[in-house]
Amino acid sequence: MSIWIVFKLIGSLALLMFGMKSMSESLQKMAGPQLRRVLGAMTTNRFTGMLTGVAVTAAVQSSTATTLMTVSFVNAGLLTLMQAISVIMGANIGTTVTAWIMSLGFSFNITDFVYPAFFLGIILIYMKKRRVIGDFLFGVAFLFLGLGTLKETGTNFATDPAMRDSIMAFFSQFGDSLWSYALFLVVGSVLTLCVQSSAAMMAITMILCSTGVLQIQQGIMLVLGENIGTTITANIVAMGANVQARRAALAHFTYNMIGVVWSLLLMKPFLNLVCGIAGFDQSLAAGDPGYEDNLLKISVVLATFHSMFNITNTAILIWFVPQIEKLVCAVIKPRKQDEEDDFKLHFITSGIMKTPELSVLEAQKEIKAFGERIQAMFNMVRNLLDEEDNDKFVKLYTRIEKYEEISDQMEIDIANYLHDVSDAHLSDETKAKMRAMLREISEIESIGDSCYKLARFFNRYHTGKEEFSGYQLKNIKTMMELVDNSLTEMNKTLVSYKEQNDINRTYNIENEIDNYRDMIKAENFSEVNDQKYSYAIGTMYSDIFDECETLGDYVLNVVEARMGIKKKD
């Protein structure tokens, strides 16, 4: 009998975790782009940031998702460290909604609502336009089914005297000491990190306390440990991110640790206040009249404690955001600046947990960095034309060759990342964005190829015996200036929202490039015929303009992809 109770507990926890995951991901699919925009438009007002964190976390039902998203925004440079700290503080308050959902599941038979939700959900799933809503209902139904099964299992567990008494005896040996508190604090942190779900740990804590095998003080320590454990995920993910993202993750850990310290110092009066609000009598022991009814209130006590802890902690520390920022900046020093020519994706990071809808942000920022690197490569090519010192020329040409290899690798790595993310069930809007991004990186890599071809032309010119006339050099530099303007416009487009961009500016520059190329080619044909310069130098001169025009076409393709304009056949 006992082994089946254990299996039922594990299975119901799996249902609960799956339900939370499905519900959270469905909500993010419905609101992902809007959530990205809300966080991206944050002001420096710490209170607005805190309220945003509350709202976003309450909406997606995952403080981990909000925290990882916030760290990604910091990594991408869309949020300052101070803004991120305030958002994370709000996320801690928002996650208390989950605890109240758990408490609700332990307060009455919530499974009565599960089967109608399953029925409605499956109908919506087969209606393709409403599939995300159906997924959300399935997630809610699995969550409530898991909670209901946990409650039922807890009741069965309480009626199994042998198992109940043995576990009670195990926990009772720890007593009510500081070392006992520290142990349960560590256990709560470690288990939360292992299961990657503070919601699951909250459910475990509630079932242990509501069956009487775990004292309320020990349950409170597990709750505090869960608050620490959930911060470790973001710190692990941030290890591969930039310095500001690592500081944001450390600020989350610091904020929660400060809260745990003051709550431990004020544990007895704080717990008495919470129990008084929930109507829980700490003096009742097993066998006392009203003990069973008192146990039913424990889930409310834990949810109330969780809410009051996070609200109070935020109310205190919201005034010290600048000091927390200074502290984490002092702890995490900037890494030694990477060599500009070293290949490394700066914004795409690997982690334990990924939210596909929000991973799009990282890819967009990486593509922007890709575009900036390609423009830097083009400017190196421009400098080749003026470089007369042979050693410096060779060094610069070698650097351009390395940049061409880097552009090839960046295309592959970003494409692989997008393919990995696309394995998840995504909203139609996000799927369209990912198709556009795949097109963008392909065209940007082609720009890199064109830059390398231009560099090879200049290398051949540098080692040859013939020289361009002053008029020809002036024309080449004018053409390359137009191309650079086009690249600048492309990079502006990559960093802005679609509706903020005016594609006509790119079209106008592209028309200038085309017209200038046509004019130069006509002149070149006449001047070669008139034998003003050799056929070989004339051919190279014409090839340079053709390649610049081709490069401009690739730039236009990138902008059209970002604007959602289909490529012309």
Side-chain angles (χ1 to χ4, degrees):
M1 179 67 180
S2 299
I3 190 65
W4 290 114
I5 291 177
V6 172
F7 280 134
K8 201 169 184 180
L9 277 171
I10 296 172
S12 56
L13 279 172
L15 272 178
L16 184 146
M17 292 173 68
F18 178 76
M20 284 295 297
K21 182 176 182 292
S22 299
M23 185 175 71
S24 177
E25 288 185 354
S26 299
L27 285 166
Q28 290 173 50
K29 288 167 192 171
M30 288 188 279
Q34 289 72 26
L35 292 179
R36 290 195 293 271
R37 184 163 299 191
V38 166
L39 281 179
M42 281 300 305
T43 66
T44 54
N45 187 323
R46 73 189 79 168
F47 300 100
T48 306
M50 182 267 293
L51 292 174
T52 302
V54 173
V56 170
T57 306
V60 302
Q61 281 299 296
S62 174
S63 62
T64 305
T66 303
T67 302
L68 292 181
M69 178 169 55
T70 304
V71 169
S72 295
F73 270 67
V74 175
N75 191 55
L78 294 182
L79 282 181
T80 65
L81 180 57
M82 185 175 292
Q83 288 172 326
I85 294 172
S86 60
V87 172
I88 289 169
M89 286 182 173
N92 276 32
I93 297 177
T95 195
T96 62
V97 175
T98 305
W100 284 105
I101 293 175
M102 301 290 166
S103 176
L104 188 68
F106 283 93
S107 299
F108 64 92
N109 189 10
I110 205 166
T111 54
D112 292 342
F113 301 93
V114 166
Y115 300 104
F118 275 130
F119 177 70
L120 182 58
I122 197 65
I123 293 175
L124 292 173
I125 285 174
Y126 280 100
M127 297 169 59
K128 293 184 179 180
K129 292 184 178 180
R130 301 286 184 269
R131 180 170 181 174
V132 176
I133 300 175
D135 289 340
F136 169 73
L137 285 176
F138 255 65
V140 172
F142 276 120
L143 168 64
F144 286 165
L145 182 61
L147 283 173
T149 309
L150 267 178
K151 179 184 175 184
E152 178 189 344
T153 307
T155 303
N156 295 336
F157 173 72
T159 59
D160 187 340
M163 178 177 283
R164 185 172 180 273
D165 291 345
S166 61
I167 296 179
M168 283 184 69
F170 173 76
F171 284 126
S172 62
Q173 67 182 332
F174 295 104
D176 190 19
S177 64
L178 181 61
W179 293 111
S180 173
Y181 286 174
L183 175 63
F184 279 90
L185 192 69
V186 171
V187 169
S189 301
V190 172
L191 289 179
T192 303
L193 177 62
C194 291
V195 300
Q196 287 292 298
S197 173
S198 57
M201 278 305 302
M202 177 62 78
I204 293 171
T205 304
M206 285 182 174
I207 196 69
L208 289 174
C209 290
S210 62
T211 54
V213 300
L214 197 65
Q215 297 176 18
I216 186 63
Q217 294 87 348
Q218 294 168 335
I220 292 296
M221 287 300 104
L222 287 179
V223 171
L224 290 177
E226 292 156 18
N227 278 272
I228 296 173
T230 196
T231 69
I232 299 175
T233 301
N235 278 275
I236 293 174
V237 171
M239 284 181 181
N242 62 27
V243 65
Q244 288 294 83
R246 299 201 310 276
R247 286 170 175 170
L250 179 61
H252 189 200
F253 175 79
T254 303
Y255 161 79
N256 277 17
M257 279 301 300
I258 292 173
V260 168
V261 170
W262 69 253
S263 62
L264 286 175
L265 295 174
L266 300 174
M267 177 54 65
K268 288 191 177 180
F270 192 37
L271 182 57
N272 290 337
L273 174 63
V274 171
C275 290
I277 292 173
F280 180 80
D281 189 348
Q282 299 182 66
S283 63
L284 290 178
D288 291 347
Y291 175 72
E292 298 297 331
D293 292 335
N294 199 46
L295 284 180
L296 296 176
K297 301 175 183 177
I298 282 191
S299 61
V300 178
V301 173
L302 293 172
T304 303
F305 178 86
H306 194 221
S307 296
M308 289 189 66
F309 165 76
N310 284 294
I311 292 171
T312 305
N313 199 32
T314 298
I316 294 171
L317 296 181
I318 192 72
W319 306 100
F320 298 97
V321 170
Q323 287 74 23
I324 295 175
E325 181 184 32
K326 288 180 182 178
L327 174 63
V328 296
C329 287
V331 173
I332 298 182
K333 303 290 185 183
R335 288 172 177 166
K336 185 179 179 181
Q337 186 66 36
D338 291 334
E339 288 292 326
E340 186 182 2
D341 295 348
D342 286 345
F343 170 67
K344 180 184 178 183
L345 294 179
H346 293 286
F347 303 107
I348 290 176
T349 56
S350 59
I352 295 173
M353 175 182 172
K354 277 290 177 188
T355 51
E357 293 286 329
L358 302 174
S359 296
V360 171
L361 170 73
E362 293 181 343
Q364 286 178 334
K365 295 301 294 184
E366 203 66 70
I367 290 171
K368 175 181 177 293
F370 193 6
E372 290 173 347
R373 187 183 284 268
I374 286 296
Q375 187 169 15
M377 180 183 179
F378 179 77
N379 284 319
M380 290 180 210
V381 175
R382 292 176 68 185
N383 292 335
L384 273 180
L385 192 59
D386 295 324
E387 188 56 67
E388 296 180 357
D389 183 274
N390 187 65
D391 290 339
K392 290 181 179 179
F393 184 95
V394 171
K395 185 177 180 180
L396 186 57
Y397 182 76
T398 302
R399 193 178 179 202
I400 291 169
E401 285 184 314
K402 186 171 184 180
Y403 262 60
E404 202 279 330
E405 294 173 1
I406 289 173
S407 70
D408 292 343
Q409 191 60 48
M410 286 189 76
E411 180 194 16
I412 292 170
D413 287 356
I414 297 173
N416 288 339
Y417 177 78
L418 289 172
H419 283 304
D420 289 341
V421 174
S422 66
D423 288 339
H425 176 205
L426 303 170
S427 66
D428 291 339
E429 181 181 359
T430 301
K431 286 179 181 177
K433 284 184 179 179
M434 296 186 75
R435 286 193 296 270
M437 285 191 285
L438 285 169
R439 179 182 164 195
E440 288 166 22
I441 60 174
S442 174
E443 300 291 351
I444 292 174
E445 192 278 331
S446 295
I447 295 173
D449 290 342
S450 285
C451 288
Y452 185 47
K453 286 181 183 178
L454 286 170
R456 289 206 304 254
F457 287 142
F458 292 152
N459 183 52
R460 198 169 74 208
Y461 170 73
H462 180 77
T463 56
K465 294 180 180 179
E466 294 186 86
E467 294 184 359
F468 291 128
S469 67
Y471 177 71
Q472 287 176 316
L473 288 172
K474 179 184 175 182
N475 287 339
I476 292 172
K477 289 178 181 179
T478 300
M479 177 59 125
M480 298 193 82
E481 181 68 28
L482 286 173
V483 174
D484 188 57
N485 291 341
S486 181
L487 286 166
T488 299
E489 199 61 42
M490 177 192 79
N491 284 323
K492 287 180 182 177
T493 303
L494 290 176
V495 75
S496 306
Y497 291 113
K498 186 189 298 185
E499 58 271 18
Q500 295 174 333
N501 294 317
D502 182 6
I503 196 172
N504 289 323
R505 290 196 292 266
T506 303
Y507 281 136
N508 290 337
I509 298 174
E510 171 62 14
N511 287 333
E512 285 187 64
I513 292 172
D514 290 346
N515 293 334
Y516 198 59
R517 189 276 310 265
D518 293 342
M519 182 190 76
I520 294 299
K521 282 180 74 71
E523 282 185 357
N524 182 59
F525 181 77
S526 298
E527 292 179 352
V528 168
N529 282 340
D530 294 342
Q531 297 183 349
K532 290 185 178 180
Y533 42 79
S534 70
Y535 180 82
I537 200 74
T539 301
M540 185 184 299
Y541 182 53
S542 177
D543 287 344
I544 289 170
F545 279 86
D546 282 339
E547 197 58 49
C548 284
E549 192 276 333
T550 300
L551 196 156
D553 289 341
Y554 292 140
V555 170
L556 180 60
N557 291 340
V558 174
V559 175
E560 287 184 337
R562 176 51 61 99
M563 297 295 289
I565 299 173
K566 291 184 179 180
K567 189 174 182 179
K568 296 177 183 178
D569 295 330

